[in-house]
Amino acid sequence: MSVNLPESLATFDTEYCADSLEFYPFNDTQRFLVGTYQLLKDGNAQANQEELTSSDATRVGRIYVCDAIDTDGGMRIIERQRIETSAIFDIKWSYNNVDGKHLAGVACADGSLAIYSANNQSDAEFLSPVCTNIASSMCCSLDWSNRRVSTSTPRVVTSYSDGQLQLLQLSESSLTEVCQWQGHDLEAWIAAFDYWTPDIVYSGGDDARLKGWDTRIGPHPVFNSRRHQAGVCSIQSNFHREHILAT
């Protein structure tokens, strides 16, 4: 039986491994961000597969701002901006404006959660830094609490390679820690809000556990699912229909 594969409309060489891609959700454009990850050995040579856990390798990354442009011959991708960073694990937009700004969060291997603001008046300087939170282990993921309800002080949940989870609040262009707790025995690959009840946070780790947390009652899971047979790497709350969660 033959399988009809989707047609590739355009390609773009990110040079490093592409970890995360997020379309710009505010205007009717085909602009998107790409986050990349690469291990470099001494002398900036890319590490091969056998050296990926080498302690002397440096984790580097880039943010690309790109436009997918329709042309007479099809489509092409144009790079508008690139920002050199630590290796990137995750990028997510805040889907509601925050004090009139379009914000994106970036989770990096150096432990940083970086918040960027979008400037529609400039392609070459579309993203500019707003604030950063630094942790002692790799920041693996982030999510915004304001997917359904707009607020000037949204919360951001992050997960880390040491199994920690952190809840932060963004206010007046600065991040403040609300709470932090040990969520998993191994790497906490993903953390996500329940968009219908943002006090509820979900997390998944390399320990193959999916957990739910009520941030109003402290660092004790309200459920601890063992149904996954491998590490839980991604979680998405359905913002159209309540009580639906994809993992």
Side-chain angles (χ1 to χ4, degrees), residues 172-211:
E172 296 181 354
S173 299
S174 64
L175 287 163
T176 303
E177 181 181 300
V178 177
C179 57
Q180 183 170 342
W181 69 99
Q182 189 70 37
H184 294 266
D185 296 331
L186 300 174
E187 291 90 342
W189 293 125
I190 186 71
F193 283 101
D194 184 316
Y195 295 135
W196 298 79
T197 309
D199 291 314
I200 302 297
V201 169
Y202 305 109
S203 66
D206 210 47
D207 52 8
R209 302 293 178 87
L210 169 67
K211 298 183 180 183

Side-chain angles (χ1 to χ4, degrees), residues 112-129:
S112 65
L113 166 67
I115 306 298
Y116 289 85
S117 177
N119 175 14
N120 285 310
Q121 304 305 312
S122 173
D123 287 338
E125 297 180 354
F126 177 70
L127 289 183
S128 58

Side-chain angles (χ1 to χ4, degrees), residues 18-245:
D19 268 2
S20 183
L21 188 149
E22 285 278 304
F23 272 95
Y24 183 53
F26 297 102
N27 294 345
D28 187 19
T29 67
Q30 297 186 105
R31 173 158 292 184
F32 58 90
L33 308 181
V34 182
T36 64
Y37 181 112
Q38 189 66 50
L39 287 178
L40 297 184
K41 298 286 287 181
D42 291 339
N44 289 336
Q46 293 187 11
N48 61 39
Q49 190 67 30
E50 288 72 27
E51 299 169 323
L52 290 181
T53 59
S54 177
S55 60
D56 59 347
T58 301
R59 294 177 175 87
V60 298
R62 280 190 199 116
I63 304 171
Y64 289 99
V65 179
C66 296
D67 286 332
I69 304 297
D70 292 313
T71 65
D72 292 338
M75 177 177 286
R76 63 192 180 103
I77 296 174
I78 299 176
E79 176 188 331
R80 300 299 191 185
Q81 182 185 11
R82 69 169 63 184
I83 302 172
E84 303 292 336
T85 66
S86 176
I88 295 171
F89 285 108
D90 195 15
I91 297 176
K92 286 192 176 75
W93 287 102
S94 164
Y95 271 70
N96 276 297
N97 293 346
V98 179
D99 287 334
K101 298 178 181 178
H102 300 165
L103 301 181
V106 180
C108 294
D110 63 358
S112 65
L113 166 67
I115 306 298
Y116 289 85
S117 177
N119 175 14
N120 285 310
Q121 304 305 312
S122 173
D123 287 338
E125 297 180 354
F126 177 70
L127 289 183
S128 58
V130 175
C131 59
T132 302
N133 179 76
I134 301 291
S136 59
S137 57
M138 292 188 292
C139 187
C140 298
S141 75
L142 76 129
D143 198 16
W144 296 84
S145 66
N146 60 341
R147 183 67 181 258
R148 297 189 68 253
V149 179
S150 180
T151 173
S152 61
T153 56
R155 290 187 171 187
V156 181
V157 65
T158 51
S159 66
Y160 296 92
S161 59
D162 61 358
Q164 292 276 320
L165 303 173
Q166 187 177 41
L167 187 64
L168 301 159
Q169 186 150 32
L170 180 65
S171 178
E172 296 181 354
S173 299
S174 64
L175 287 163
T176 303
E177 181 181 300
V178 177
C179 57
Q180 183 170 342
W181 69 99
Q182 189 70 37
H184 294 266
D185 296 331
L186 300 174
E187 291 90 342
W189 293 125
I190 186 71
F193 283 101
D194 184 316
Y195 295 135
W196 298 79
T197 309
D199 291 314
I200 302 297
V201 169
Y202 305 109
S203 66
D206 210 47
D207 52 8
R209 302 293 178 87
L210 169 67
K211 298 183 180 183
W213 312 86
D214 188 332
T215 59
R216 296 166 295 190
I217 63 174
H220 308 289
V222 294
F223 72 82
N224 183 357
S225 172
R226 297 171 174 84
R227 296 181 63 182
H228 293 78
Q229 297 180 344
V232 180
C233 298
S234 186
I235 299 172
Q236 181 69 61
S237 170
N238 189 321
F239 54 89
H240 296 296
R241 294 177 60 188
E242 193 173 5
H243 308 308
I244 295 179
L245 189 70

